[in-house]
Amino acid sequence: MELTKKMIHTSTVKPGITMQTTLDDDFNVPDSKADVEKLITTRGNLEITEVEAMVDKIKITGVCHFYALYTTNMDSYPISSLEGSLPFEQVLNYDGVHPNDTIKAKANLEDLNISIINSRKLSIRCLIFLKCSVSDTQSLEATIDLEQPLPTKQNGSQREPSMERLYKTLDMTTLRVNKKDIFRIKEELRIPSGKAPVYEILWTETTLNNWDVRLLDGNLLLTGDLALFLLYQTDEEQTPIQFLEMELPFKGELPCDDCMEGMIDCVDIRIASTNLSIHPNSDGEERLLELECTLDLDIRIYEEEQLKLLSDIYSPSAECKVEQLPFHYARLLQKNNAKTRISQKMKLKDAKESIMQITHINGNVKIDEMTIQPDGIKVEGVVTADVLYAAGSDSHPFNATFLMVPFDYLVEMDGITEKDSYEMVANLDQITINMIDSDEVELKANVSLSAIAFEELTEYAIKDVSVEALDAEKMQKQPGMIGYIVKQGDSLWSIAKTYYTTKESIMECNELENENIKVGDKLIIVK
């Protein structure tokens, strides 16, 4: 006898853990930079450099990069900028984690506060939110069939009893790809002829808009737009500081082994770094911009498959002992790419000076809370916006204000319960701001909420089967015919197995057209 086995791989996600931590340090202004008179705007981003799984612990190492645009006390160069970084290392306690586990870690910058201690020193305070999840992967051999009848020995002779087999089909969702990767974009841009050449770059912001991922055989197709904002110093007396905005569409393929068209993707993309350098054109003017942007990709790709297993086995003429092994697996409930539009008018109460022109808006979306509802996942969060504007002041030509708009939205997800695992990826596809009057604006934003949910299930696979001869005395004591009343939980298979007969025999004796039986049915069972 040979059991036909197949190696199966399953993946489930253990409950995640979170932690908040604070970085607090002083930063000395580099000698090459002018004195800080007043901060205009600041921003920051987090970079996770290493995630290490230990016994019952997870260590996360990373860096908080911060940037500041500020006014100086120099008439010739009224605006300057600086950048710096703060390293961090945190250990999260997580019972049951082992060094070989696959860890997914996310870090969000909840708050960045930069304040002036003096003209050569800044205070940097960062509030960081860390979240970790652990993928529990299993590999096991499961019996999918029986190649031949099981032999047994009785009174020294070899017998081959007939075997009854029960199969079951599982709808499984298997994690095929789980990795991080990078995608580099390199382009040369030109300063328009209507703008002055660049003398010094003061401030840049690059945002990723309308990105999309399509699965191909062995590749990921990436598309989207990079929006570039540039604030720069010129050598013109009338307009010494100018700005421009440019949009760069991109499209490219990223190699991804084991990826196939038709699989299910769960990919998150973030800008990791942007380098912008200025070069002279053929006329010697600083009008050529070389942009190098690196995108971080968190890639998980799933495959839906049906797995047929041998669920149970017995023989009417032999005693079978089945050894079973439990295993956990996931089944896709639903993937939903939802979008919502936010629009709100608001007063600029904290605008420091009169607004002559809005030069740039940099937005972000943050999820504060998610709750399971009967028909989906309710998402509550905020859209934040840093607004840079031209002010009517020679000494302070630019200033900034901060806006925040709350939102809530129900991402439809039929059948989801508190027991299911899910993930939500929020992105800001587009954000605009329009002046209504001197102190009132209207902010509009498109938010995408991509959700994927899985049902966590447990099943049993046959590990081994042993066969022994029937107890002849026990069989002789059983009556030749039995009247049986169907009870809750009974099936023709379970009844036939209990009384060492077959489903076909019971159906024939009781003239049943199919295997459907219900509680209270009366059956005749012949030995």
Side-chain angles (χ1 to χ4, degrees):
M1 178 281 302
E2 293 235 357
L3 297 175
T4 304
K5 294 191 175 183
K6 178 181 179 180
M7 183 66 71
I8 62 173
H9 307 279
T10 65
S11 178
T12 56
V13 179
K14 296 179 180 177
I17 57 170
T18 59
M19 170 188 276
Q20 276 191 339
T21 185
T22 302
L23 304 181
D24 197 344
D25 203 356
D26 294 341
F27 176 77
N28 294 319
V29 178
D31 294 338
S32 59
K33 294 293 184 179
D35 290 353
V36 178
E37 181 190 50
K38 177 184 175 184
L39 293 173
I40 299 175
T41 186
T42 62
R43 74 170 189 270
N45 64 278
L46 298 175
E47 177 188 3
I48 294 179
T49 56
E50 185 181 6
V51 178
E52 181 183 358
M54 302 179 289
V55 177
D56 294 334
K57 297 178 186 293
I58 300 171
K59 184 171 76 172
I60 301 176
T61 306
V63 180
C64 176
H65 302 283
F66 59 87
Y67 309 85
L69 181 69
Y70 64 93
T71 60
T72 75
N73 55 7
M74 301 172 62
D75 293 337
S76 55
Y77 300 102
I79 294 179
S80 187
S81 62
L82 57 81
E83 62 183 74
S85 59
L86 295 178
F88 66 88
E89 180 179 296
Q90 289 294 322
V91 176
L92 288 73
N93 295 318
Y94 196 129
D95 292 339
V97 171
H98 299 91
N100 293 328
D101 284 343
T102 301
I103 309 297
K104 180 184 177 184
K106 280 190 174 182
N108 292 324
L109 187 59
E110 295 288 295
D111 185 50
L112 172 65
N113 184 272
I114 302 179
S115 58
I116 300 173
I117 298 175
N118 57 53
S119 63
R120 304 302 300 174
K121 183 179 287 189
L122 304 177
S123 171
I124 314 295
R125 186 178 176 86
C126 309
L127 179 62
I128 299 173
F129 181 80
L130 299 173
K131 181 178 180 180
C132 287
S133 60
V134 181
S135 295
D136 183 16
T137 57
Q138 279 186 299
S139 297
L140 72 154
E141 281 191 328
T143 302
I144 60 174
D145 210 343
L146 181 66
E147 287 191 1
Q148 61 187 42
L150 295 166
T152 186
K153 289 185 178 181
Q154 185 175 13
N155 299 326
S157 62
Q158 188 82 8
R159 295 189 178 183
E160 294 184 348
S162 61
M163 306 303 299
E164 299 296 317
R165 301 170 178 84
L166 180 65
Y167 298 94
K168 61 185 170 188
T169 300
L170 305 181
D171 293 321
M172 300 178 61
T173 306
T174 306
L175 182 63
R176 293 300 184 196
V177 180
N178 185 13
K179 68 172 185 176
K180 292 184 179 292
D181 210 333
I182 59 174
F183 183 77
R184 290 187 173 89
I185 302 169
K186 187 174 181 179
E187 290 288 340
E188 186 177 84
L189 308 172
R190 295 177 182 271
I191 301 293
S193 58
K195 293 287 186 178
V198 177
Y199 179 77
E200 180 186 357
I201 295 175
L202 299 174
W203 188 255
T204 65
E205 286 187 359
T206 307
T207 54
L208 179 63
N209 299 326
N210 304 312
W211 61 265
D212 185 54
V213 177
R214 180 183 168 191
L215 302 187
L216 306 175
D217 292 345
N219 289 286
L220 300 180
L221 177 62
L222 308 179
T223 58
D225 300 308
L226 285 179
L228 171 66
F229 170 76
L230 174 64
L231 183 72
Y232 64 96
Q233 179 89 29
T234 76
D235 56 5
E236 296 184 352
E237 292 185 6
Q238 295 297 323
T239 54
I241 299 176
Q242 295 188 21
F243 67 91
L244 61 86
E245 289 185 298
M246 307 176 77
E247 191 168 273
L248 174 65
F250 67 88
K251 181 178 182 180
E253 293 187 7
L254 184 69
C256 183
D257 296 338
D258 300 324
C259 167
M260 294 183 65
E261 190 173 354
M263 289 183 175
I264 301 161
D265 68 278
C266 182
V267 181
D268 192 15
I269 305 180
R270 294 288 183 266
I271 294 178
S273 63
T274 302
N275 293 317
L276 189 66
S277 56
I278 187 73
H279 303 282
N281 61 11
S282 58
D283 296 329
E285 292 185 323
E286 302 285 343
R287 288 186 173 275
L288 299 182
L289 297 172
E290 187 175 290
L291 174 69
E292 293 185 17
C293 183
T294 302
L295 305 181
D296 268 347
L297 285 82
D298 185 3
I299 304 169
R300 273 161 303 140
I301 299 175
Y302 300 89
E303 182 180 24
E304 289 185 289
E305 60 178 338
Q306 286 191 329
L307 179 65
K308 185 178 180 181
L309 294 179
L310 185 61
S311 174
D312 198 7
I313 187 172
Y314 76 93
S315 172
S317 57
E319 199 74 59
C320 295
K321 292 184 178 179
V322 178
E323 182 182 356
Q324 293 186 318
L325 183 69
F327 66 94
H328 306 287
Y329 70 98
R331 181 177 67 85
L332 178 69
L333 277 178
Q334 190 176 343
K335 182 183 177 186
N336 187 0
N337 296 320
K339 293 183 182 293
T340 180
R341 183 170 177 81
I342 299 167
S343 179
Q344 185 166 324
K345 296 179 181 179
M346 61 190 76
K347 296 285 187 179
L348 297 178
K349 297 180 181 179
D350 62 340
K352 302 175 181 65
E353 295 168 354
S354 60
I355 299 176
M356 303 296 294
Q357 180 185 6
I358 292 177
T359 59
H360 179 62
I361 179 171
N362 182 32
N364 191 26
V365 59
K366 182 168 70 94
I367 294 177
D368 292 326
E369 187 176 3
M370 293 185 290
T371 54
I372 300 297
Q373 304 287 330
D375 49 357
I377 305 170
K378 184 180 180 181
V379 181
E380 297 179 74
V382 293
V383 171
T384 61
D386 290 295
V387 182
L388 184 67
Y389 60 90
S393 170
D394 293 335
S395 59
H396 300 97
F398 288 87
N399 223 317
T401 187
F402 179 77
L403 303 176
M404 185 167 60
V405 179
F407 73 92
D408 62 81
Y409 188 77
L410 182 68
V411 179
E412 294 181 358
M413 193 72 64
D414 294 337
I416 192 170
T417 68
E418 295 284 354
K419 297 179 180 180
D420 300 323
S421 63
Y422 65 91
E423 184 176 353
M424 187 78 63
V425 176
N427 285 293
L428 196 60
D429 286 342
Q430 188 179 28
I431 186 168
T432 60
I433 189 168
N434 297 311
M435 294 289 299
I436 298 176
D437 54 38
S438 60
D439 65 344
E440 187 178 13
V441 296
E442 183 179 23
L443 185 143
K444 295 181 180 180
N446 293 333
V447 178
S448 67
L449 298 166
S450 180
I452 188 168
F454 300 93
E455 185 180 8
E456 308 287 348
L457 301 168
T458 300
E459 264 296 348
Y460 292 86
I462 293 179
K463 182 180 179 182
D464 201 6
V465 177
S466 61
V467 179
E468 298 177 356
L470 285 175
D471 185 338
E473 183 178 348
K474 173 184 173 181
M475 294 302 294
Q476 287 179 356
K477 290 182 179 179
Q478 286 192 357
M481 182 179 294
I482 300 171
Y484 185 83
I485 299 177
V486 177
K487 302 187 294 294
Q488 187 70 36
D490 280 343
S491 65
L492 281 187
W493 173 271
S494 64
I495 297 170
K497 182 179 179 180
T498 300
Y499 291 99
Y500 296 91
T501 184
T502 65
K503 294 186 298 179
E504 291 75 17
S505 176
I506 297 176
M507 293 176 65
E508 183 179 352
C509 290
N510 294 272
E511 298 182 349
L512 300 178
E513 295 182 357
N514 53 54
E515 296 183 17
N516 297 330
I517 56 175
K518 61 181 184 295
V519 175
D521 284 351
K522 297 178 181 179
L523 301 175
I524 296 174
I525 301 173
V526 179
K527 186 170 77 170

